[in-house]
Amino acid sequence: MKLRALVLPCLLSAGLFAPAAHAQRQGTVEFGAYVRKNWFGQSYGLHQVVGAGARLGFFPIRHVELEADGVYTPTRSLGSEDKINVMRFSGLLLFHVPTGDHSAFILGGGVMRQQFRRRPLGVGNATESYGHETAPTALAGMRFGLGDVVSIRLDGTLDRVGKPNPLLTYNIDHDWHYGFQAGLAFLFGNRGESFRGPSMKDSDNDGVIDTADQCPNTPKGTQVNSSGCPMAAMNAAADSLRMKMHADSMAMQARADSVRAAAEAEARAAAARMQAQKDSIDAAARASSARISALEDSLRAARTASARASLRDSLNAARMRDSLRVLMSTPNAKLVLQGVNFATNSATLVQSSRFVLDEVAASLVANPDVRLEVAGHTDNTGGRALNERLSNARAASVKDYLIAHGVAADRLESKGYAFDRPIASNKTVAGRAMNRRTELNRLN
């Protein structure tokens, strides 16, 4: 008991006053031995005693260790005084977190398996299996270095046993084991930086200690800078760097000039394209205006009803094409679809509406970048719910017709506005007729 009482204070004192180890590099192998104080779960009825263990670890990457531990603890049952030998094995994933230049905090967890063997009182050295258990385990600890190879490990563990050994417990669903481990660890392989303190040795006598000397073996008498490198070499390096920076600056300026020239050329080309497009639109507008004027003159001069009806249809078609041309070339433009009508209180398109919508579909197919909202509107006859359903259905009917005639669905949206956006008075028959309409609203 006296030895046990002295072990922990001695190890703690050594850890506090010794330089601590750096976190390990990839490829380090650790072997260690330690003593462990066990606190078995309260339901187990075992003496809380000290055991001995060993560990073997490997660092696959910096700061991360895979570790396997094994502990042997001889104890006794509180009730029968039978001897119980406990063998605890664990596999752990540990993270070494540097807390200073020479210290590391260890945190991790894994799985432990605990096996029990009983030697009944008065039957000699024969033992028998007395059950086993498996549980998740957590570990927290510290590493303190004593040199390049040796370090002190102080760890605490916590096991949460979900299925306690039924031979040692009494119908409980879980219990806890605790442990404290103190021992030595030996590091082999790629241990990383030295654990020793900085050396004051100056091998080339240039006034800069070896640990800070970036240019070792400088000839005696050479003037050096604070890094131990010759000033002449530093000046030559500075001149070379300045020349390189000047060359890089000239190259960057040349690249900037080239990029600027390319950007200016592209801007001029874009301006020319925009002007050509504008000229084409203006020419089309003038041609359309002339055609509409000619049709209007012909309509006024027509003598028969059939001729007037034919000319009126041609005039409406010309006006629709002109309106569509403006819609396709003008951002955020709107167009009322004159001639698009539906059966009374229905979203069914009348036959004459299809000629107008065929023109709209052809224009949209020819202008694939244009996105539209089809908006349905009603007059204020009837209730709101009825008009909302009707305006939504009519807008959707026009949208579906355009999709069926080659317009991509992702270019179209539809929405009904009921009688919320009148363009004329709802108090007159003519005004209500104007409010019952379908519009195309350009979205881009």
Side-chain angles (χ1 to χ4, degrees), residues 296-410:
E296 288 174 342
D297 292 341
S298 297
L299 180 61
R300 284 191 294 269
R303 297 284 185 250
T304 65
S306 61
R308 285 194 296 272
S310 177
L311 286 168
R312 192 177 293 109
D313 290 342
S314 297
L315 181 59
N316 290 335
R319 286 172 175 168
M320 176 56 65
R321 292 191 190 99
D322 189 56
S323 299
L324 285 172
R325 177 186 54 76
V326 173
L327 179 69
M328 298 302 156
S329 61
T330 308
N332 302 315
K334 293 185 178 182
L335 170 63
V336 176
L337 293 176
Q338 302 288 350
V340 174
N341 298 303
F342 303 86
T344 304
N345 293 327
S346 168
T348 302
L349 288 161
V350 299
Q351 186 63 34
S352 60
S353 303
R354 302 178 185 273
F355 298 105
V356 176
L357 293 180
D358 288 344
E359 292 285 349
V360 175
S363 183
L364 283 171
V365 170
N367 295 272
D369 294 333
V370 175
R371 295 179 59 250
L372 295 178
E373 177 195 60
V374 182
H377 301 273
T378 65
D379 59 27
N380 66 350
T381 304
R384 169 169 288 278
L386 171 63
N387 282 284
E388 285 182 350
R389 287 195 298 272
L390 186 60
S391 61
N392 275 301
R394 287 178 172 179
S397 180
V398 171
K399 174 185 173 182
D400 293 341
Y401 186 92
L402 296 175
I403 292 172
H405 286 73
V407 182
D410 59 359

Side-chain angles (χ1 to χ4, degrees), residues 189-240:
N190 183 17
R191 293 189 299 275
E193 298 85 352
S194 172
F195 299 150
R196 293 188 294 267
S199 172
M200 301 303 292
K201 185 177 180 181
D202 180 9
S203 300
D204 55 6
N205 296 312
D206 60 358
V208 181
I209 61 174
D210 291 349
T211 54
D213 198 339
Q214 298 180 11
C215 299
N217 303 318
T218 303
K220 186 177 180 180
T222 302
Q223 186 179 5
V224 299
N225 61 7
S226 59
S227 299
C229 294
M231 294 297 293
M234 295 297 294
N235 292 335
D239 291 340
S240 175

Side-chain angles (χ1 to χ4, degrees), residues 61-84:
I61 60 176
R62 186 175 178 84
H63 304 318
V64 178
E65 180 181 16
L66 298 174
E67 183 174 282
D69 286 30
V71 182
Y72 172 76
T73 304
T75 184
R76 290 180 179 275
S77 172
L78 292 175
S80 64
E81 290 300 317
D82 290 341
K83 293 183 178 180
I84 305 293

